[in-house]
Amino acid sequence: MDPQQLRTFATVTRLASFSEAARELGYTQSAVSQQIAALEADLGTALLVRRPVGPTVAGRRLLEHAVPLLVRLEAARADVARLAGSPSARLVLGATPLAVGVALGRALGEVRRAYPQVEPVVRVLAQDVLAARVATGEVDLALIDGLAAPSDPLPLPEVGPLTTVAVDERPVAVALPAGHPLAGRAGLALSDLSAARWLDAPDLTPTADRLRAAAGTDGFRPATRYRGTDLHGLLALVATGHGLTLLPEPVVAGAPGVDHAPVAAPRLVHRTELVHGSLPEGPAALLARLLVD
């Protein structure tokens, strides 16, 4: 299979349009159609239906293979370019919303003093895309946070030869409305809360699937869906009774209108990891050393 044909197929599927895919890729619509036809001929089956545009059963299965393959190809290109290139003067840091904190601010200040010509860029992105952005060179390094067992690595996707280093672990707690009967408990079993009303905020907190896997039970059905990265907005929903959520204990402590109780079972922590590929000497390498130290 030709990688360019796979890329064209993935783009057509994502945009559900041959013409939009042609515009994004810089091809004519005829060239896009020819590439799809050649890929279908190579595999001996139809991959797309045309009206409306969408993948066939075989197309959906191919897409499951194509997307990670394309990421790995871009990751290989970026990795070799980093090793072969001269030291970079840019600094683009990716971070999940809860990973941006005071320690990062101090480290960036030191980098700016060492490299006054550099203007650091911080891009706040979701956990599920950041590792790929590092692998493909869109960001130089990333701080990614999530739920894990103590000392266990985060379950990040396999997107290339990346280095991951733990930089922080905090206890986790269930955020509750002030005055909730469970507030102040010495510890809660996550499984006992499976039937409670939960907030679904995938950019900030563990998903229902992650909670079910951690607790080893069904449940955790979302009562309210929150799409955003504003922590204050999420805590305001907790305070007004729209659902519970799981957050690092220091984040919840002292939030107005919110109480909390630590999670005692299973043993879980909020873990933050530094993720990067090869780093030639420069501002990104200095930032990585500062964050690890």
Side-chain angles (χ1 to χ4, degrees):
M1 285 179 287
D2 183 283
Q4 189 55 58
Q5 293 173 0
L6 283 177
R7 185 172 289 106
T8 299
F9 166 70
T11 305
V12 171
T13 304
R14 174 169 53 85
L15 298 175
S17 168
F18 280 73
S19 58
E20 290 297 322
R23 187 174 296 111
E24 180 173 304
L25 295 169
Y27 298 148
T28 64
Q29 186 169 336
S30 174
V32 168
S33 297
Q34 289 172 11
Q35 288 191 39
I36 297 299
L39 185 59
E40 290 177 325
D42 182 18
L43 294 174
T45 187
L47 300 171
L48 291 168
V49 293
R50 266 56 176 181
R51 292 185 181 179
V53 175
T56 63
V57 172
R60 285 193 294 273
R61 181 56 58 86
L62 177 61
L63 203 61
E64 293 175 9
H65 295 283
V67 172
L69 280 172
L70 292 170
V71 169
R72 289 303 297 263
L73 286 172
E74 289 300 319
R77 180 187 297 275
D79 200 29
V80 171
R82 282 191 294 262
L83 290 171
S86 57
S88 173
R90 81 165 196 174
L91 176 55
V92 181
L93 172 73
T96 45
L98 295 182
V100 179
V102 175
L104 172 58
R106 292 198 192 101
L108 283 173
E110 292 196 39
V111 171
R112 295 191 72 166
R113 284 189 287 275
Y115 295 92
Q117 78 281 9
V118 170
E119 295 184 1
V121 175
V122 179
R123 298 183 60 190
V124 179
L125 298 164
Q127 185 203 76
D128 60 349
V129 302
L130 259 178
R133 299 292 175 89
V134 175
T136 58
E138 292 182 55
V139 300
D140 298 312
L141 65 170
L143 286 170
I144 304 178
D145 73 288
L147 200 63
S151 301
D152 277 2
L154 294 176
L156 299 178
E158 176 56 48
V159 291
L162 298 178
T163 298
T164 60
V165 184
V167 295
D168 191 40
E169 279 192 1
R170 303 291 179 97
V172 295
V174 180
L176 308 158
H180 193 283
L182 296 176
R185 291 279 188 92
L188 299 175
L190 195 57
S191 58
D192 291 342
L193 300 172
S194 61
R197 292 162 52 87
W198 285 83
L199 287 164
D200 176 40
D203 292 335
L204 286 168
T205 63
T207 63
D209 286 343
R210 184 74 183 92
L211 291 174
R212 285 192 284 268
T217 186
D218 291 334
F220 302 99
R221 304 300 177 194
T224 304
R225 300 186 187 277
Y226 183 79
R227 297 295 181 264
T229 59
D230 180 7
L231 179 61
H232 298 292
L234 179 67
L235 290 173
L237 290 177
V238 174
T240 49
H242 290 281
L244 312 182
T245 193
L246 206 63
L247 287 165
E249 192 168 10
V251 169
V252 185
V258 176
D259 279 333
H260 68 281
V263 174
R267 294 184 62 209
L268 296 169
V269 294
H270 177 265
R271 182 179 173 92
T272 302
E273 293 182 349
L274 175 67
V275 180
H276 62 83
S278 54
L279 287 177
E281 189 55 44
L286 174 58
L287 180 60
R289 289 195 297 272
L290 292 169
L291 290 171
V292 171
D293 292 342

